[in-house]
Amino acid sequence: MKGGAKVVVEQHRHAGVFIARGKEDALVTRNMVPGESVYGEKRIAVEQEGGDKIEYRVWNPFRSKLAAAVLAGVDNIHIKPGAKVLYLGGASGTSVSHVSDVVGPEGSVYAVEFSHRSGRDLVNMAKKRPNVIPIIEDARHPQKYRMLVPMVDVVFADVAQPDQARIVGLNSQYFLKNGGNFVISIKASCIDSTAPPEAVFAREVKKLQEQQLKPKEQVTLEPYERDHAVVVGVYRPAKKKEQ
Amino acid sequence: MTQFLLFESASGYGLFEVTASDELAQGSDAVQRSVENMERFGKVVKLSAFKPFTSAANALEQINAVSESQITDDLKNFLTTNLPKVKKEGKAKFKLGVSEPKLGSAIQEETGVPCECNEYVGELLRGVRQHLATFIKGLEDKDMARAQLGLAHSYSRAKVKFNVNKADNMII
């Protein structure tokens, strides 16, 4: 995005997320490592009143399910400055880098990825971002990385596996604190390619409920992804009568 | 019957003793609630020993073994020196709660310490994970985070580099 002076950056409804208003609006996050792009995304530098510059990175909803969910109007992503996030399915770390921007230096992202090919990129990205903890391990076996992860505020999952509800449940049991939140992206065709997507989503939601993961809202990611939904909820919510 | 807990962290091994198990035996809902509150949890679970890892290389050796459910000499020494002695097989007056059954059977085989791994132990270990920095004097949350970061990098780097046949092959 050229002509930095003409671009105005506004705070988004979600803390740590911003909107750059220029010729075209774009979703952006504040770059933790100014001067560097992670995957060739555009950067926008905005001059502050004192003359200092703050750099933002454009967050492409076609490449990140979380960005798509934000633009789809999800009520709450729970990923905010200072939060500890367990990120399952980190892949090459493109989305992880934006989550790292959002949580900022006070937060941390524990990024789990099983594939060695993309894991290499994830590890390299994490070298420059001290709030990203790369874990090359199978998310199906959280006990293998139990020494590396503390109790977290949010579990985010984009694993696209048929048993993903079980994977999220298992990880929550180990690492997600009571009343913590989960954000899970569901790709219908990865779970059952013969059933209609709505039926698949409903079935997954039921599986989550059985594991004390209480869904609060669901958004579909049209037009950025086809037959995808993001479900956001709370883990082991405090009982009403106690409050 | 005394209940102990083994907790593996990025900074070292911790051994905890459950002192007021009666209070917790009321069902998992009650356990969950007392786990949340450090004031209550601190009365129920007490730190009995902590062994910090001596170096980054040592920590890496431990996590490699622990993630494969193997017992290291360090862990064996830690358990035998800090747990009550087991005189006869099957006659111990205590139990050790572990996070994973396979590691439990490895420990049982090597040291004769009876291990258990169930939902109840899992709940208690959640509490330990949450309050670890409060239990161990001189260990702050940010030290913990630094240890996790360093260990995760060395663990993951080794995984990515050491791929004899585990690399996912590209289909051309």
Side-chain angles (χ1 to χ4, degrees):
Chain A
M1 216 171 270
K2 278 181 185 165
K6 278 177 239 151
V7 179
V8 179
V9 172
E10 288 169 14
Q11 168 73 53
H12 192 276
R13 185 164 53 84
H14 302 300
V17 182
F18 300 87
I19 312 162
R21 302 220 182 266
K23 211 165 145 197
E24 279 172 355
D25 292 356
L27 200 64
V28 296
T29 56
R30 184 177 172 167
N31 196 355
M32 274 253 300
V33 194
E36 289 208 36
S37 292
V38 173
Y39 53 100
E41 75 283 17
K42 279 181 182 149
R43 285 174 282 130
I44 303 166
V46 178
E47 205 161 317
Q48 296 305 106
E49 277 175 30
D52 296 340
K53 277 192 173 175
I54 294 183
E55 194 177 271
Y56 297 88
R57 297 187 301 131
V58 173
W59 194 7
N60 185 346
F62 288 97
R63 293 193 60 158
S64 169
K65 312 270 161 43
L66 189 58
V70 168
L71 290 180
V74 73
D75 255 351
N76 213 330
I77 53 171
H78 302 289
I79 296 171
K80 58 182 181 212
K84 284 199 182 84
V85 181
L86 176 62
Y87 194 119
L88 307 174
S92 305
T94 54
S95 278
V96 176
S97 73
H98 287 287
V99 174
S100 140
D101 281 352
V102 173
V103 300
E106 298 299 312
S108 29
V109 188
Y110 295 82
V112 182
E113 170 57 44
F114 191 36
S115 151
H116 291 199
R117 174 188 301 279
S118 32
R120 205 164 300 148
D121 294 337
L122 178 67
V123 171
N124 285 333
M125 185 275 291
K127 280 182 191 157
K128 291 184 184 143
R129 291 170 175 265
N131 68 352
V132 177
I133 294 89
I135 300 169
I136 310 304
E137 214 22 286
D138 190 346
R140 278 193 188 85
H141 305 294
Q143 71 274 11
K144 288 196 177 219
Y145 47 85
R146 65 176 183 269
M147 287 172 73
L148 300 173
V149 185
M151 289 311 261
V152 298
D153 305 305
V154 185
V155 170
F156 176 87
D158 182 12
V159 286
Q161 294 292 321
D163 58 339
Q164 61 178 8
R166 197 183 63 87
I167 295 176
V168 174
L170 215 51
N171 278 277
S172 303
Q173 211 178 321
Y174 272 88
F175 308 118
L176 185 55
K177 62 184 185 196
N178 293 1
N181 297 99
F182 66 92
V183 179
I184 171 171
S185 155
I186 303 169
K187 180 178 177 183
S189 64
C190 274
I191 290 159
D192 185 343
S193 52
T194 57
E198 290 70 28
V200 177
F201 299 149
R203 223 184 303 151
E204 288 303 298
V205 163
K206 196 152 172 274
K207 280 189 218 160
L208 291 171
Q209 278 164 336
E210 283 162 10
Q211 308 187 67
Q212 294 179 285
L213 292 153
K214 194 176 175 202
K216 290 276 187 193
E217 59 171 324
Q218 174 182 337
V219 290
T220 55
L221 300 187
E222 301 285 350
Y224 307 105
E225 305 275 353
R226 188 179 294 167
D227 298 340
H228 274 68
V230 161
V231 177
V232 182
V234 56
Y235 186 55
R236 300 187 181 183
K239 294 227 168 64
K240 279 262 161 60
K241 60 183 176 195
E242 277 184 314
Q243 283 171 349
Chain B
M1 181 76 83
T2 322
Q3 167 93 52
F4 287 94
L5 295 169
L6 171 66
F7 185 81
E8 310 91 343
S9 79
S11 324
Y13 292 125
L15 189 67
F16 296 84
E17 188 180 343
V18 186
T19 48
S21 50
D22 299 348
E23 203 180 300
L24 289 180
Q26 297 160 355
S28 84
D29 240 27
V31 181
Q32 275 182 35
R33 257 173 284 137
S34 60
V35 155
E36 260 176 74
N37 184 335
M38 183 58 200
E39 233 171 81
R40 264 162 87 181
F41 191 65
K43 280 184 195 138
V44 173
V45 172
K46 294 215 160 50
L47 176 74
S48 47
F50 184 75
K51 185 201 171 292
F53 298 141
T54 49
S55 64
N58 179 236
L60 183 59
E61 189 190 319
Q62 306 301 323
I63 192 179
N64 280 331
V66 165
S67 68
E68 293 303 323
S69 321
Q70 288 157 355
I71 178 168
T72 57
D73 290 344
D74 281 8
L75 179 56
K76 192 176 164 184
N77 288 340
F78 174 67
L79 291 176
T80 43
T81 42
N82 293 302
L83 282 173
K85 293 273 170 295
V86 183
K87 283 188 190 116
K88 257 189 209 157
E89 192 82 25
K91 283 260 174 92
K93 286 204 169 60
F94 64 95
K95 265 187 188 165
L96 178 66
V98 292
S99 358
E100 206 232 339
K102 270 197 207 151
L103 181 67
S105 42
I107 291 173
Q108 200 152 354
E109 216 168 89
E110 281 281 323
T111 62
V113 171
C115 292
E116 68 171 352
C117 174
N118 51 34
E119 205 180 317
Y120 169 67
V121 168
E123 287 303 320
L124 290 172
L125 286 168
R126 270 172 70 87
V128 173
R129 192 181 300 283
Q130 180 143 25
H131 304 295
L132 189 64
T134 352
F135 277 117
I136 298 160
K137 286 199 179 67
L139 184 78
E140 302 279 328
D141 270 328
K142 59 177 191 297
D143 301 329
M144 211 43 223
R146 204 172 305 134
Q148 284 161 351
L149 177 65
L151 186 56
H153 267 279
S154 50
Y155 180 70
S156 297
R157 210 165 35 228
K159 287 256 160 169
V160 173
K161 199 166 58 181
F162 188 70
N163 55 347
V164 220
N165 41 20
K166 266 201 125 180
D168 19 63
N169 295 313
M170 184 138 52
I171 300 156
I172 306 171

